[in-house]
Amino acid sequence: MEKRNEEWKREQSRIEMIQQVIKAKLEKLQDRMGGLKEGIIELRRDFWKDVTINLDHPDDVIETFTSIKQQAELLAEQERNHGQSYKKVEQLLRLNQSPYFGRIDFQEEGEQAAEQIYIGIASLMDQKDEDFLIFDWRAPISSLYYDHSPGAASYRTPSGEIEGNIELKRQYIIKGGKLKGMFDTGVTIGDQLLQEVLGGTANTQMKSIVATIQREQNHIIRNEKSRYLVVQGVAGSGKTSAALQRAAYLLYRYRHTLTSENIMLFSPNPLFNSYVATVLPELGEENMVQTTYQQYLISRFGKGFSVEDSYSQIEYTLTAKDEPGYDQRIKGIRFKTSVAYKKSIDEYVEKLSTQGLMFKSFHFRGELLFSSEEIHDLFYAFDKEISIPNRLKLTAEKLLKDLSAFAKKEREKDWVLEEAELLDKEDYLEAFRQTQKEEEAFDDMEQEERFLKKKIVSQHLKSIRRQLKGLKLLNIEALYRQFLTSDTLAEAEDWSLIRAYTINQIDQRVIPYEDATPYLYLQDQLEGRKANTFIRHLFIDEAQDYSPFQFEFLRQQFPNSKMTILGDMNQAIYAHSMHAPTLLNAELEGEEKIVLTKSYRSTRQIVEFTREMIAGGELIEPFNRNGEEPTVTKVESLESLHKGIVDRVGELQKKGHETIAIICKTAAESQTAYEQLKAQIPLRLMKKETNAYEKGTIILPAYLAKGIEFDAVILYNASQQQYGREMERNLFYTACTRAMHELHLYSLGTCSPFIPKDCQG
């Protein structure tokens, strides 16, 4: 015991030494930043004083330009240095509170003694900047902490494998600069540290897991070779957290060639984007680009169509089972997300290479400028061996030449002069400013008139010219409609009814969610699309919700990108992904698959309860954190249901639970329940548009809760009527697995068959 106390004092003393080093570095940085800030203010204030401006001769103009450029570069460099110093200050302040979480004593082969290696969220050197006091968790040597127990160990560096022996492995809990816990362990991460981290309340932001990374998670984080890294992880296995730490690792490992702007995350909804938004900044990195698949689709369609979102589609699949045409719509969803549907489009495009393309007509001032027939003939006059996009380019180039010739003739028309005479002062001055830019200043009335005519005609033709340059010659809508009537599709089951529904939606200017990807894919195959080569790593979360067709589409959009693909087949809740191939179980060339079976989010009791709901659930391993047994309460009336929920929320709040979720099946049920409960308990309603949430009690549909965790979950109505169909099993499981500490199910009438029989009472 005395030895333990001495060790504790030594460790606390080291923390205080670290704080002194941090204090000295902060003082030095703040002095430097003060000087930088004053320098930036002075540079901005005196910017034009220090620039030599002389525009009398060409040489003077070049000298002036060089002078301005040098001054701007100096200012930019000062601002960049200030920004880097500010980031360093933030990092040091974080280290001051909790400088490190791990230590290994490693004796490298050939060395006389072991080196004490302390591991934290960032590196820290001594005051002379000679030796490391703390190693960044992403440094090669830090992998020893995650991958090895005491004994023989090795780690990989750019110069080769380093071998040796770990003599001690220690984990710390340090808060506010004070040592709160210290554990020597023989395993990757000791249960005591995990209990401390996982036993707390859920947060409205995802936690950084660098202190508790497990060996299998470390494999995900540090994988550098795989083109496609596919992670199948059970609910609560930490797959998303590991992916975010992976992004931080990549930014550290390739810091000279990779920035956060080169990494994109496709997440399930805007609420989830908010939930994970602080993880990278907490690790000292800029946030990566975040979007949803829906947002990406909308950005591509523009204003021409309203694009149905996946939530509207899932609301339909969950609530409209008694409506006419329901079964056909479900078949249509499954078919249109399949590789077979993509192949049908590829065959259609092949036929269009020789005949059948439909073009737009272009009108100018109410008169036909280029007819669709004229463009059709021009296009098919080119060699058929040339690809469709390249022939479109050649066609557009010819039309642009014709447009320039037309513009010259049009300038002499009376309407042009009339419009020039009606220009108000602001329009005239704008035109005059344009002449200065183009070095075409006019000296007399005739030049002025000629220039204004040119500008007016050019402005009127701007939209047509833009469409021609963008190769927007095709009538994509008409071509998609034509595709829907093709012979190959006619063989699909119930196709005539599926087609009728689709065309009816398009007539109303709505693109069904299942048609959005095929429509854009067809457009890209015909027009050609400049791929996004700027994004070099793509993270796709909730990958079980993506079809193979959607994946092929993304692969085409981001051809140079490596991908980290994360998901759980037991949480596949969309009509196209249940009992069907998805991105998660597709066979990909150059892939590596990692399976995570241990669940850390929920207590052992909740995991054991929920794993019985799904096939293969016996393979899910609970982390040994004990809690209360889940409860199932059967009620016979809405009044009893609401009273039970109100009483339960009160009990949970008294226990100190800060995030309580009342999870409903659909948005419609959430709205109804909210109206009934809001007068009795403080409550917020989450909708698909919600992009952030705060602590408290919230009510939301199950599909919006994906990826998020709560202290306690109340399932609003776990009855057979609500969750009786096989297609609702995964949704039910997803809702239940959001709970960290407590799970309470209420059933209005007969319980759902997905609830384990011995729990139904």
Side-chain angles (χ1 to χ4, degrees):
M1 189 67 182
E2 189 178 334
K3 185 181 177 185
R4 179 73 176 172
N5 289 339
E6 286 298 316
E7 194 70 21
W8 187 284
K9 286 178 185 176
R10 274 198 297 272
E11 292 288 6
Q12 182 60 53
S13 177
R14 187 179 194 277
I15 292 168
E16 289 163 8
M17 179 272 290
I18 292 285
Q19 288 181 314
Q20 289 302 312
V21 172
I22 289 172
K23 184 181 177 184
K25 285 180 179 284
L26 279 171
E27 286 172 357
K28 193 183 292 185
L29 264 173
Q30 283 162 348
D31 287 344
R32 182 167 178 265
M33 285 177 72
L36 277 169
K37 188 175 182 181
E38 285 175 15
I40 289 167
I41 292 168
E42 191 177 328
L43 263 173
R44 285 175 175 166
R45 186 183 64 234
D46 300 334
F47 188 94
W48 294 106
K49 287 183 187 176
D50 299 330
V51 172
T52 307
I53 297 180
N54 189 342
L55 306 175
D56 294 341
H57 299 95
D59 287 349
D60 297 329
V61 172
I62 293 169
E63 188 179 327
T64 297
F65 173 75
T66 304
S67 178
I68 292 171
K69 188 179 177 200
Q70 286 173 343
Q71 196 72 355
E73 285 174 350
L74 181 60
L75 178 60
E77 181 64 24
Q78 293 273 54
E79 289 177 334
R80 190 158 48 247
N81 288 338
H82 187 271
Q84 287 171 348
S85 297
Y86 181 76
K87 279 179 71 175
K88 188 67 180 172
V89 165
E90 282 191 319
Q91 189 180 82
L92 288 170
L93 289 172
R94 278 195 293 270
L95 285 176
N96 196 53
Q97 294 298 306
S98 181
Y100 41 80
F101 50 80
R103 164 186 161 186
I104 47 172
D105 293 359
F106 181 68
Q107 184 174 356
E108 188 180 327
E109 208 171 74
E111 295 294 325
Q112 295 299 311
E115 181 185 0
Q116 292 181 355
I117 296 156
Y118 286 82
I119 298 162
I121 61 165
S123 296
L124 180 72
M125 300 193 80
D126 62 17
Q127 295 213 38
K128 294 180 180 179
D129 286 337
E130 291 177 350
D131 295 314
F132 279 98
L133 298 175
I134 305 170
F135 284 88
D136 191 297
W137 65 277
R138 297 167 290 188
I141 199 168
S142 301
S143 66
L144 289 168
Y145 173 75
Y146 298 114
D147 285 342
H148 295 282
S149 300
S154 65
Y155 67 97
R156 187 177 291 114
T157 71
S159 57
E161 195 84 8
I162 305 294
E163 296 183 344
N165 193 72
I166 295 176
E167 296 182 354
L168 174 78
K169 184 169 185 176
R170 181 169 289 171
Q171 295 160 26
Y172 306 93
I173 296 171
I174 304 171
K175 293 179 180 176
K178 299 293 180 187
L179 184 60
K180 302 290 186 183
M182 182 173 80
F183 323 107
D184 289 353
T185 181
V187 293
T188 310
I189 301 297
D191 280 3
Q192 289 168 291
L193 184 60
L194 269 173
Q195 290 280 13
E196 173 75 22
V197 174
L198 300 171
T201 56
N203 207 313
T204 55
Q205 302 288 344
M206 181 175 278
K207 298 169 185 171
S208 166
I209 63 162
V210 291
T212 60
I213 292 167
Q214 302 297 292
R215 185 171 186 172
E216 64 272 20
Q217 293 167 332
N218 196 43
H219 189 192
I220 295 167
I221 292 165
R222 294 175 188 263
N223 183 296
E224 295 177 34
K225 295 179 180 177
S226 307
R227 175 76 192 274
Y228 304 111
L229 181 62
V230 181
V231 182
Q232 157 65 42
V234 300
S237 57
K239 54 189 175 293
T240 302
S241 290
L244 294 170
Q245 321 298 315
R246 173 166 169 71
Y249 172 78
L250 292 171
L251 289 168
Y252 173 87
R253 173 72 176 82
Y254 300 102
R255 54 193 173 277
H256 301 301
T257 57
L258 189 74
T259 72
S260 57
E261 293 175 344
N262 303 129
I263 303 176
M264 179 182 275
L265 167 67
F266 275 92
S267 61
N269 53 54
L271 183 64
F272 184 85
N273 282 345
S274 165
Y275 181 62
V276 303
T278 60
V279 174
L280 285 175
E282 277 181 8
L283 297 171
E285 301 291 354
E286 297 290 329
N287 249 329
M288 60 185 130
V289 182
Q290 289 176 252
T291 189
T292 65
Y293 192 69
Q294 180 71 23
Q295 289 168 337
Y296 186 74
L297 292 176
I298 290 171
S299 72
R300 287 290 315 274
F301 270 98
K303 296 177 182 177
F305 283 101
S306 170
V307 184
E308 180 192 33
D309 58 59
S310 59
Y311 312 123
S312 298
Q313 188 196 77
I314 198 170
E315 283 284 328
Y316 175 86
T317 62
L318 294 173
T319 62
K321 57 181 179 289
D322 297 325
E323 290 183 14
Y326 176 82
D327 290 339
Q328 287 75 26
R329 172 96 198 267
I330 298 299
K331 287 176 185 174
I333 290 170
R334 288 176 175 160
F335 179 48
K336 289 175 183 176
T337 53
S338 68
V339 172
Y341 196 64
K342 175 188 171 290
K343 286 179 180 173
S344 294
I345 293 177
D346 292 336
E347 290 170 12
Y348 175 60
V349 169
E350 186 67 32
K351 289 177 182 175
L352 292 175
S353 182
T354 54
Q355 62 178 357
L357 277 175
M358 290 184 271
F359 294 85
K360 299 176 184 175
S361 291
F362 291 87
H363 292 80
F364 182 72
R365 290 176 56 79
E367 294 184 10
L368 187 63
L369 180 60
F370 302 125
S371 72
S372 57
E373 293 80 10
E374 177 187 350
I375 300 172
H376 173 280
D377 293 344
L378 180 58
F379 174 88
Y380 280 113
F382 290 109
D383 189 338
K384 295 194 173 30
E385 295 301 313
I386 302 172
S387 70
I388 290 177
N390 283 340
R391 274 186 278 170
L392 280 179
K393 190 176 180 183
L394 293 171
T395 304
E397 286 170 358
K398 173 67 169 64
L399 293 174
L400 281 165
K401 284 181 185 175
D402 293 347
L403 190 67
S404 295
F406 171 81
K408 284 182 182 177
K409 292 179 183 176
E410 197 69 13
R411 290 173 206 157
E412 306 310 314
K413 299 279 182 71
D414 292 343
W415 72 267
V416 182
L417 185 57
E418 288 167 10
E419 197 165 305
E421 290 169 349
L422 291 173
L423 283 177
D424 58 27
K425 186 179 179 182
E426 285 74 19
D427 292 336
Y428 183 84
L429 284 172
E430 178 58 31
F432 181 76
R433 278 193 290 269
Q434 289 294 324
T435 66
Q436 306 308 303
K437 290 179 188 175
E438 297 175 25
E439 298 179 9
E440 201 179 312
F442 32 73
D443 302 321
D444 55 40
M445 289 291 291
E446 189 178 320
Q447 275 183 297
E448 177 183 322
E449 182 182 295
R450 190 163 60 248
F451 179 80
L452 289 175
K453 283 179 176 180
K454 181 180 176 183
K455 280 291 170 191
I456 288 165
V457 172
S458 179
Q459 192 63 32
H460 278 273
L461 290 171
K462 189 176 181 181
S463 172
I464 295 174
R465 185 173 282 108
R466 187 171 58 245
Q467 289 181 71
L468 293 177
K469 285 184 176 178
L471 307 185
K472 299 298 179 186
L473 310 179
L474 294 168
N475 188 336
I476 300 295
E477 180 186 333
L479 286 163
Y480 192 70
R481 287 172 181 265
Q482 179 176 269
F483 166 65
L484 294 172
T485 63
S486 60
D487 293 340
T488 53
L489 296 177
E491 299 169 9
E493 188 179 357
D494 289 336
W495 183 250
S496 60
L497 291 170
I498 295 168
R499 183 180 64 227
Y501 169 81
T502 309
I503 290 173
N504 177 261
Q505 290 293 295
I506 292 174
D507 287 344
Q508 296 176 53
R509 312 313 299 158
V510 174
I511 290 286
Y513 182 67
E514 62 267 25
D515 286 280
T517 301
Y519 189 101
L520 291 175
Y521 178 75
L522 173 64
Q523 181 176 328
D524 288 352
Q525 294 303 103
L526 295 174
E527 292 179 350
R529 176 167 169 79
K530 192 173 181 182
N532 186 331
T533 54
F534 188 69
I535 298 297
R536 291 170 47 201
H537 206 110
L538 206 62
F539 287 82
I540 302 175
D541 205 359
E542 303 294 345
Q544 73 279 355
D545 295 337
Y546 289 75
S547 69
F549 194 161
Q550 288 171 329
F551 174 64
E552 287 301 324
F553 177 67
L554 285 176
R555 193 150 62 163
Q556 200 172 75
Q557 303 299 296
F558 303 96
N560 293 352
S561 186
K562 287 187 172 183
M563 296 188 190
T564 301
I565 298 162
L566 319 142
D568 176 12
M569 283 309 301
N570 292 316
Q571 296 181 65
I573 61 173
Y574 290 94
H576 70 260
S577 60
M578 287 179 284
H579 316 297
T582 72
L583 171 49
L584 203 58
N585 53 22
E587 292 297 324
L588 309 173
E589 190 177 338
E591 74 170 2
E592 180 176 348
K593 280 193 175 170
I594 295 175
V595 178
L596 304 178
T597 57
K598 196 161 191 175
S599 179
Y600 298 96
R601 174 188 298 137
S602 308
T603 62
R604 178 177 56 80
Q605 287 79 3
I606 292 173
V607 173
E608 288 175 350
F609 175 80
T610 55
R611 69 183 180 180
E612 290 190 44
M613 298 173 181
I614 52 170
E618 68 280 0
L619 300 175
I620 300 172
E621 308 165 60
F623 174 68
N624 193 25
R625 179 167 64 86
N626 284 313
E628 296 188 21
E629 292 286 347
T631 66
V632 179
T633 306
K634 186 177 172 184
V635 295
E636 298 302 331
S637 68
L638 273 173
E639 289 75 20
S640 300
L641 173 65
H642 294 151
K643 183 181 184 308
I645 289 174
V646 169
D647 291 346
R648 182 71 71 181
V649 169
E651 290 171 14
L652 293 168
Q653 288 172 335
K654 283 178 186 174
K655 290 180 180 179
H657 293 310
E658 296 179 337
T659 57
I660 301 167
I662 301 170
I663 300 184
C664 299
K665 179 181 174 183
T666 64
E669 186 181 56
S670 300
Q671 182 71 49
T672 303
Y674 172 72
E675 296 298 335
Q676 295 291 321
L677 294 168
K678 66 179 180 180
Q680 301 174 70
I681 46 174
L683 192 62
R684 282 190 303 278
L685 175 65
M686 292 289 172
K687 299 182 178 180
K688 63 184 179 184
E689 301 85 9
T690 305
N691 54 23
Y693 83 95
E694 300 163 5
K695 288 182 179 179
T697 305
I698 65 170
I699 190 162
L700 73 169
Y703 52 80
L704 283 186
K706 285 170 78 75
I708 302 174
E709 61 191 22
F710 307 95
D711 289 334
V713 165
I714 296 170
L715 206 63
Y716 178 76
N717 183 8
S719 67
Q720 182 170 2
Q721 184 179 358
Q722 285 294 83
Y723 299 96
R725 296 184 295 166
E726 185 58 32
M727 69 180 297
E728 292 155 345
R729 180 186 293 274
N730 287 358
L731 187 71
F732 189 77
Y733 172 76
T734 300
C736 292
T737 54
R738 301 306 94 205
M740 283 182 66
H741 306 297
E742 293 198 42
L743 173 63
H744 302 285
L745 287 70
Y746 287 83
S747 175
L748 186 55
T750 306
C751 292
S752 166
F754 309 138
I755 298 173
K757 287 282 185 289
D758 57 345
C759 301
Q760 293 188 24

